[in-house]
Amino acid sequence: MTNKTNNDCKSKNLATTKTMDITKYIELVFTDYTLRTITLGTAILGAVTGMLGSFAVLRKQSLLGDAISHAALPGIAIAFLITGAKDSNTLLIGALISGLIGTFWIRGIVTKTHLKSDTALGLILSLFFGFGMLLLTFIQKQPNANQAGLDKYLFGQAATLVESDVWLMAIITGICLIVMLTFWKEFKILLFDADYTKTLGFNTKFIDILITTFIVLAIVLGLQTVGVVLMSAMLLAPAAAARQWTNSLSVMVVLAALFGAFSGVFGTAISASQDNLSTGPVIVLVAGVFVVFSFIFSPNRGLLFKQIRFIKNRRDLELHKTLAFMHHIAETHEDISHPHAVKLLNNFQGYTRSTLQKLVDKNYVQLHGNMWSLTKTGFEVASNLYTKQSTEDE
Amino acid sequence: MSNAQLEIQLIASLVAVACAIPGTFLVLRKMAMISDAISHSILPGIVIGFFITQDLNSPILILLAALTGIITVVLVEYIQKTGLVKEDTAIGLVFPALFSIGVILIAKNANDVHLDVDAVLLGELAFAPFDRLLIGGTDVGPKSLWVIGTILLVTIALLILFFKELKLSTFDKGLAASLGFSPAIIHYGLMSVSSITTVGAFDAVGAILVVALMIAPAAAAYLLTTDLKKMLALAITFGVFSAILGYWVAHWLDASIAGSITTVLGFVFLLVYLFAPSKGIIAVMYREKQQRTEVSLLTFLLHLKNHDEIEERHVNHLNEHINWQKVRSKTVLELALKNNMIHIENNIVSLTKKGNNFTSKAINYIITNEDTQIEDMKDDFFLFRG
Amino acid sequence: MNKIAVKVDDLTVAYNYKPVLWDIDLKIPEGVLMAIVGPNGAGKSTLIKSILGILKPIAGSVSIYGKPYEKQRQLVAYVPQKGSVDWDFPTTALDVVMMGTYGSLGWIKRPGQKEKKAALEALEKVGMLAFKNRQISQLSGGQQQRIFLARALVQNASIYFMDEPFQGVDATTEIAIINILKELRKAGKTVIVVHHDLQTVPEYFDWVTFLNVKKIATGPVRDIFNDDNLTKTYGINYQVSIQE
């Protein structure tokens, strides 16, 4: 087996020093032309894919991105075979066309046959990719020497980004931003409720094609940097992370763009400062860290706070139960603040020393050695609780 | 044909069969994309396994990698359960992350691991015959042949043993559970088989071809039949056919065998997609056109039956009132006349007795919506195709 | 009889060319509160979706106050089935209600203060003003249905189409909704509701259409809501105890 990837990785290290620390990297970003280009490129790419990824995720088309990026491969090979050019813009047009063909074929399969969307996605993904690989290996055997560059579209090579690539990304991102701001209202309502949008008189097909085309465009744009295999993660991860922090579509899109851009920058920085680290996978992993962090720590939806809320609710319940039990005992006596033995509480299941302490802290209960008594507030709270519970029981 | 060529075709065919069996169930269970996820996320398992064993065909490596496959499934299901993201987003998040870890592991240890990401994704079938299995010094054939052969045997044994359970849990989960077959066991069993097959096959044909061999033959077969046994048989046939033809195309083009097999699979699917007798695109479009005419005819007849007023039954009314284009109304009118369903007097259309009977029957069938009766109707409808 | 608000002529609709509605003729007079009833799969939702142009019929035509629907959109509001949208969508109750103004705004133009005011008023009408900034997934089923109703109210239409507005809502919401619908009728609006609870038909509605692939009957509830039509619609010997 060949060791191509190995060599690729080395070239991805920007032919600078073997190991670089982060401060040196930051310094280099401002002085080194190549590194600046790459950092800017991955940042813009992350922003635009994050932005459009939000739409893909909300339309439940998460895996469409994966299928499209794989489907773009034969387009790159065919564009090369026809033009012989290594110029990335020409190849990207090929990628765009074959990506769009893949997308519409998927729709054709889903609407015209009884095959389900997952089958259609998997089919187009693997068949187009396999065909693309056939063409790539075929090209490699050709005497034409300048084919070597096509490999980068498999796993991406940020190091090959040049200024014109970054300009192209910036321009497309700009157009995308203008279109999104112009049709914001239409995008939003279509994403939420397509049928209703139709009854209001909007041409839903037009909006739909607009969104889909931009998603395909963003994917194609990222192929050179991240590669067909990992491109879908660039689309999904920032959006999935952003969704956890907000309940507003506009904030989600902005956050996703930020997460995407940061993944790009951090990913580039880490891979540049380490030996043998290709940029694409590192960017994806950084985006993955954003996702995991958001899943766990987001205040409203996050797993951690959900768990904390769950535990707190259970504690509150225990506390209330204990208080209610005490109230029950205290009621038997005319003087509510008559002290009772702590021992009495041992029979009660919900009772622990810490719950008792908490009740004391809240000034519901007073402790005198081995005896406890309800305070006035404690009795009131408990009797309120009691009536609430008993009405709920009814 | 040389010995090596024969062995390559044999390996490719065995892989095709081993993939088609779990693939059929994945397609039927709407889980095709899981196979794509598994095929990518086994990479870290393979790399770690390779650190340990230094042998891509080692059973330990295969089990370790298959375990990563299962972990993928479990992770995806866990994320889905949290409800933080929509169903398929979970798949799209998990496998690129695991794949990235794999790529980085390889890159970081490039000096120790002679493993290539391209090779994992694409495989190199052409080299498979050169890695021989020696038992006590005797050459018993290529290692991959033994690996995939063993996996295939286990798969077939499991298929035969659990055919009833698989079938039931695929088509009626609720019933299967109520009969005491745990859907979870069948589900994870299928996932395990898919993972092991993917791992066992990637070395020879690459992960992407594994996905293609799982989904494409099963999808093509599903367009031809809905009978599970027939579907399995057809999927296997398509897989083996593409494997062998693909090999020779690659031989002729001097290109990647895996890519070539996938391309042949693509053409097989395309042909079935276009020409399948009842579910192919051409058949569907023809049927839709036919149905459109038939529905138009019935609508027209029903309209005549519902309306006694003269103005509703005037020839011109067809265009104005029912709101059809001229061409279609003319076709419908001619069709109805030809079959003696209507007669026209002074431009006023009326149902004949035959037409009247037919219409009542038709509307009755449609409302009761009993499929067997509708089948009958279809025979009646064929009358009008001339 | 009043003016005809909605007129359906010879409407035939098919899904994948499998017929769902056959030759429907329907005249809905202005100012009625009408239920469309029929068994599952009878084409109730399909009927209103084709009237609203969401589905394309293979034959027939629809007119709203004598003109095709495309020209009369501003007169019509629609409340889709609650289950047809993803309630985990990142947006607030107020935002959803504001969507009701998008139709009159047309392409590109953004909603402003005027639209916001209208949306707030509609929220108040359905008793949801306190929840205006609530994320829609944090609302109960009944509250979600009220939001949908508010969105239609914002459209300030003459004719309201509602698809199963009482499905999966609590009793309070059901009463609140029907009161709003009755108010709309009082104001001279026409309200058409796909409904599945036969028990409440006489109490809630004054007009009814029986539908099962073809139209069985249509007219005032007191005249045609009887066992004969119910049997014709729901099959042989359908028994329903009508509470008066």
Side-chain angles (χ1 to χ4, degrees), chain A residues 109-127:
Chain A
I109 293 175
V110 175
T111 51
K112 289 284 175 198
T113 72
H114 64 159
L115 296 176
K116 295 289 171 302
S117 71
D118 68 295
T119 309
L121 288 168
L123 260 174
I124 296 305
L125 178 155
S126 57
L127 296 180

Side-chain angles (χ1 to χ4, degrees), chain A residues 138, chain B residues 246-255:
Chain A
F138 178 72
Chain B
Y247 170 75
W248 289 105
V249 172
H251 185 73
W252 171 64
L253 281 176
D254 189 21

Side-chain angles (χ1 to χ4, degrees), chain A residues 181 185-186 188 196 243 247, chain C residues 88 95 106 108-110:
Chain A
L181 287 175
K185 176 178 105 236
E186 287 76 13
K188 180 160 142 183
Y196 183 69
R243 176 68 188 92
N247 282 327
Chain C
D88 195 36
D95 240 15
I108 297 169
K109 224 179 129 198
R110 295 293 181 82

Side-chain angles (χ1 to χ4, degrees), chain B residues 122-360:
Chain B
L122 307 166
E124 207 25 282
L125 200 50
F127 297 147
F130 302 119
D131 192 7
R132 315 293 297 186
L133 182 68
L134 302 172
I135 295 176
T138 23
D139 178 359
V140 290
K143 266 189 197 166
S144 354
L145 191 62
W146 283 96
V147 171
I148 200 66
T150 315
I151 292 172
L152 179 58
L153 279 179
V154 174
T155 307
I156 291 174
L158 287 172
L159 176 71
I160 293 169
L161 272 174
F162 296 106
F163 188 78
K164 192 179 71 219
E165 286 82 354
L166 267 167
K167 188 174 172 179
L168 202 58
S169 74
T170 301
F171 293 105
D172 191 343
K173 252 181 204 154
L175 182 62
S178 69
L179 290 180
F181 307 133
S182 158
I185 290 179
I186 296 278
H187 171 72
Y188 284 104
L190 183 62
M191 290 299 111
S192 310
V193 169
S194 307
S195 295
I196 292 174
T197 309
T198 310
V199 182
F202 90 90
D203 179 35
V205 299
I208 296 294
L209 179 55
V210 175
V211 179
L213 276 172
M214 280 192 182
I215 303 173
Y222 199 22
L223 289 179
L224 292 169
T225 177
T226 44
D227 179 303
L228 181 57
K229 276 182 192 162
K230 274 187 203 149
M231 191 177 157
L232 276 167
L234 270 173
I236 291 171
T237 316
F238 287 142
V240 173
F241 169 80
S242 308
I244 293 170
L245 185 62
Y247 170 75
W248 289 105
V249 172
H251 185 73
W252 171 64
L253 281 176
D254 189 21
S256 148
I257 300 175
S260 162
I261 294 177
T262 318
T263 307
V264 173
L265 275 172
F267 278 107
V268 169
F269 177 74
L270 184 65
L271 286 179
V272 174
Y273 174 68
L274 291 177
F275 301 112
S278 77
K279 282 161 187 146
I281 284 300
I282 292 173
V284 166
M285 301 234 265
Y286 175 75
R287 193 171 56 236
E288 282 183 354
K289 191 175 159 265
Q290 209 60 40
Q291 277 174 332
R292 196 160 28 202
T293 320
E294 285 169 358
V295 167
S296 305
L297 175 71
L298 255 180
T299 314
F300 171 56
L301 295 176
L302 197 63
H303 180 75
L304 292 177
K305 196 174 151 68
N306 284 350
H307 294 280
D308 296 326
E309 317 90 294
I310 299 254
E311 67 269 24
E312 289 272 348
R313 294 192 283 126
H314 196 273
V315 170
N316 293 340
H317 167 79
L318 257 176
N319 297 328
E320 290 160 19
H321 221 144
I322 308 194
N323 198 16
W324 290 337
Q325 299 98 334
K326 278 220 166 81
V327 191
R328 214 206 288 171
S329 56
K330 211 173 150 224
T331 338
V332 170
L333 203 65
E334 277 167 9
L335 202 63
L337 266 178
K338 207 159 136 198
N339 286 287
N340 295 323
M341 296 286 186
I342 52 167
H343 58 91
I344 304 178
E345 252 172 75
N346 301 330
N347 278 342
I348 302 299
V349 191
S350 320
L351 283 178
T352 59
K353 204 174 170 206
K354 184 186 170 198
N356 198 11
N357 273 342
F358 176 79
T359 314
S360 327

Side-chain angles (χ1 to χ4, degrees), chain A residues 41-352:
Chain A
T42 49
I44 294 175
L45 179 70
V48 70
T49 50
M51 214 158 71
L52 290 165
S54 308
F55 295 138
V57 166
L58 291 174
R59 306 187 73 187
K60 292 168 198 141
Q61 290 183 335
S62 297
L63 293 174
L64 187 67
D66 196 31
I68 294 171
S69 63
H70 284 74
L73 192 63
I76 293 172
I78 291 171
F80 175 79
L81 280 173
I82 293 172
T83 63
K86 238 172 80 177
D87 161 39
S88 52
N89 295 357
T90 321
L91 300 182
L92 289 187
I93 290 173
L96 184 65
I97 293 170
S98 98
L100 284 173
I101 292 174
T103 315
F104 288 108
W105 198 7
I106 289 171
R107 287 202 181 176
I109 293 175
V110 175
T111 51
K112 289 284 175 198
T113 72
H114 64 159
L115 296 176
K116 295 289 171 302
S117 71
D118 68 295
T119 309
L121 288 168
L123 260 174
I124 296 305
L125 178 155
S126 57
L127 296 180
F128 273 58
F129 185 77
F131 180 53
M133 283 319 299
L134 176 75
L135 292 174
L136 281 193
T137 50
F138 178 72
I139 289 169
Q140 274 163 3
K141 303 274 164 65
Q142 302 292 301
N144 191 344
N146 63 0
Q147 16 63 0
L150 291 187
D151 265 14
K152 70 183 173 201
Y153 290 101
L154 271 187
F155 304 110
Q157 249 177 293
T160 60
L161 283 177
V162 292
E163 207 180 312
S164 66
D165 296 328
V166 179
W167 271 114
L168 182 71
M169 283 183 191
I171 290 167
I172 291 179
T173 307
I175 296 172
C176 172
L177 210 63
I178 291 169
V179 170
M180 198 178 71
L181 287 175
T182 314
F183 294 107
W184 179 257
K185 176 178 105 236
E186 287 76 13
F187 280 11
K188 180 160 142 183
I189 191 169
L190 179 80
L191 288 176
F192 178 60
D193 193 343
D195 275 359
Y196 183 69
T197 314
K198 223 170 172 180
T199 67
L200 294 181
F202 291 101
N203 183 344
T204 48
K205 223 174 232 167
F206 169 75
I207 312 172
D208 179 50
I209 289 176
L210 207 60
I211 297 179
T212 310
T213 310
F214 273 103
I215 292 177
V216 177
L217 206 59
I219 290 168
V220 167
L221 214 54
L223 293 183
Q224 188 184 355
T225 317
V226 190
V228 297
V229 183
L230 293 174
M231 195 51 220
S232 66
M234 288 295 290
L235 212 57
L236 298 189
R243 176 68 188 92
Q244 311 312 321
W245 298 94
T246 175
N247 282 327
S248 142
L249 180 64
S250 47
V251 179
M252 174 176 168
V253 170
V254 172
L255 270 182
L258 282 178
F259 287 161
F262 277 122
S263 308
V265 174
F266 291 154
T268 313
I270 295 169
S271 85
S273 56
Q274 294 275 314
D275 205 11
N276 273 340
L277 270 188
S278 30
T279 322
V282 180
I283 295 180
V284 168
L285 280 184
V286 173
V289 171
F290 276 115
V291 173
V292 173
F293 185 83
S294 307
F295 277 9
I296 297 173
F297 296 108
S298 99
N300 281 321
R301 298 161 64 100
L303 298 174
L304 181 68
F305 288 92
K306 228 181 242 171
Q307 192 63 34
I308 290 175
R309 271 197 298 275
F310 177 74
I311 292 170
K312 198 179 163 293
N313 282 345
R314 209 172 50 189
R315 285 233 181 98
D316 283 355
L317 196 67
E318 266 170 21
L319 215 63
H320 287 163
K321 270 190 188 156
T322 316
L323 193 62
F325 183 69
M326 289 169 144
H327 177 260
H328 196 65
I329 298 170
E331 258 183 341
T332 57
H333 214 275
E334 249 169 59
D335 176 19
I336 49 152
S337 51
H338 182 86
H340 299 272
V342 174
K343 261 199 285 185
L344 271 176
L345 295 174
N346 289 344
N347 300 329
F348 183 64
Q349 239 185 343
Y351 163 78
T352 58

